[in-house]
Amino acid sequence: MVKLRLKRCGKKQRAVYRIVAIDVRSRREGRDLRKVGFYDPIKNQTYLNVPAILSFLEKGAQPTETVYDILSRAGVLKEFRLTKTKLNFN
Protein backbone atom coordinates (compact mmCIF):
# COMPACT_ATOMS: atom_id res chain seq x y z
CA MET A 1 0.00 0.00 0.00
CA VAL A 2 1.20 3.49 -0.84
CA LYS A 3 0.83 6.54 1.39
CA LEU A 4 1.33 10.24 0.83
CA ARG A 5 3.54 11.22 3.74
CA LEU A 6 5.86 13.99 4.96
CA LYS A 7 9.62 13.46 4.77
CA ARG A 8 11.75 15.73 6.97
CA CYS A 9 14.52 17.82 5.41
CA GLY A 10 16.33 21.01 6.39
CA LYS A 11 18.51 22.03 9.31
CA LYS A 12 18.13 21.64 13.05
CA GLN A 13 15.30 23.80 14.40
CA ARG A 14 14.46 24.70 10.77
CA ALA A 15 12.44 21.77 9.49
CA VAL A 16 11.19 21.66 5.93
CA TYR A 17 9.16 18.75 4.63
CA ARG A 18 8.79 17.02 1.28
CA ILE A 19 5.48 15.41 0.47
CA VAL A 20 6.31 12.00 -0.98
CA ALA A 21 4.55 8.89 -2.16
CA ILE A 22 6.11 6.06 -0.19
CA ASP A 23 5.46 2.41 0.65
CA VAL A 24 3.77 1.92 4.03
CA ARG A 25 6.47 -0.41 5.29
CA SER A 26 9.25 2.16 4.72
CA ARG A 27 10.52 4.36 7.51
CA ARG A 28 10.10 8.14 7.43
CA GLU A 29 13.46 8.79 5.82
CA GLY A 30 13.25 5.72 3.60
CA ARG A 31 13.31 5.53 -0.18
CA ASP A 32 10.32 7.24 -1.75
CA LEU A 33 8.50 6.33 -4.94
CA ARG A 34 8.12 9.96 -6.05
CA LYS A 35 8.35 13.46 -4.63
CA VAL A 36 5.00 15.15 -5.14
CA GLY A 37 5.23 18.31 -3.07
CA PHE A 38 6.97 20.56 -0.58
CA TYR A 39 5.82 22.12 2.71
CA ASP A 40 7.53 24.79 4.81
CA PRO A 41 5.66 25.19 8.14
CA ILE A 42 7.67 28.24 9.22
CA LYS A 43 6.88 30.33 6.12
CA ASN A 44 3.61 28.43 5.64
CA GLN A 45 4.41 27.77 1.97
CA THR A 46 3.38 24.77 -0.06
CA TYR A 47 4.24 23.57 -3.53
CA LEU A 48 2.18 20.69 -4.87
CA ASN A 49 2.51 18.69 -8.07
CA VAL A 50 -1.26 18.34 -8.44
CA PRO A 51 -1.36 15.94 -11.44
CA ALA A 52 1.04 13.55 -9.70
CA ILE A 53 -0.93 13.72 -6.43
CA LEU A 54 -4.22 13.09 -8.24
CA SER A 55 -2.77 10.10 -10.08
CA PHE A 56 -1.57 8.54 -6.80
CA LEU A 57 -4.95 9.19 -5.14
CA GLU A 58 -6.76 7.58 -8.10
CA LYS A 59 -4.55 4.52 -7.73
CA GLY A 60 -5.55 4.19 -4.06
CA ALA A 61 -2.81 6.03 -2.14
CA GLN A 62 -3.86 7.13 1.35
CA PRO A 63 -2.67 10.52 2.70
CA THR A 64 -1.65 10.83 6.34
CA GLU A 65 -3.61 13.23 8.57
CA THR A 66 -1.18 16.12 8.11
CA VAL A 67 -0.91 15.65 4.35
CA TYR A 68 -4.71 15.37 4.18
CA ASP A 69 -5.00 18.78 5.89
CA ILE A 70 -2.43 20.33 3.52
CA LEU A 71 -4.20 18.92 0.45
CA SER A 72 -7.63 20.02 1.65
CA ARG A 73 -6.38 23.58 2.31
CA ALA A 74 -4.96 23.68 -1.22
CA GLY A 75 -8.21 22.39 -2.73
CA VAL A 76 -6.68 19.24 -4.20
CA LEU A 77 -9.11 16.88 -2.46
CA LYS A 78 -12.07 18.88 -3.76
CA GLU A 79 -10.68 18.53 -7.27
CA PHE A 80 -10.13 14.80 -6.69
CA ARG A 81 -13.76 14.33 -5.63
CA LEU A 82 -14.96 16.20 -8.73
CA THR A 83 -12.91 14.02 -11.08
CA LYS A 84 -14.05 10.93 -9.22
CA THR A 85 -17.73 11.83 -9.67
CA LYS A 86 -17.13 12.60 -13.37
CA LEU A 87 -15.61 9.15 -13.79
CA ASN A 88 -18.61 7.53 -12.08
CA PHE A 89 -21.10 9.20 -14.44
CA ASN A 90 -19.35 7.95 -17.60
Side-chain angles (χ1 to χ4, degrees):
M1 184 174 159
V2 176
K3 279 205 170 210
L4 296 176
R5 180 191 296 180
L6 294 176
K7 188 174 188 180
R8 193 177 194 281
C9 305
K11 300 177 183 178
K12 265 194 303 190
Q13 304 296 317
R14 181 75 176 91
V16 177
Y17 297 93
R18 285 188 184 137
I19 301 170
V20 296
I22 195 167
D23 188 29
V24 174
R25 296 167 288 186
S26 298
R27 56 195 173 97
R28 182 185 73 184
E29 303 302 326
R31 186 175 179 151
D32 49 49
L33 300 173
R34 184 167 179 192
K35 297 174 183 78
V36 294
F38 176 83
Y39 174 60
D40 185 354
I42 295 170
K43 295 181 182 177
N44 203 15
Q45 293 179 332
T46 57
Y47 166 77
L48 301 171
N49 185 351
V50 178
I53 292 171
L54 289 176
S55 71
F56 275 109
L57 289 173
E58 287 169 3
K59 293 175 186 173
Q62 298 293 316
T64 59
E65 278 187 45
T66 310
V67 174
Y68 184 88
D69 292 340
I70 292 168
L71 296 178
S72 63
R73 271 190 267 138
V76 175
L77 294 176
K78 188 175 183 181
E79 187 175 330
F80 173 65
R81 288 187 193 108
L82 289 175
T83 57
K84 196 173 181 183
T85 55
K86 285 180 187 176
L87 292 174
N88 289 340
F89 286 124
N90 291 333

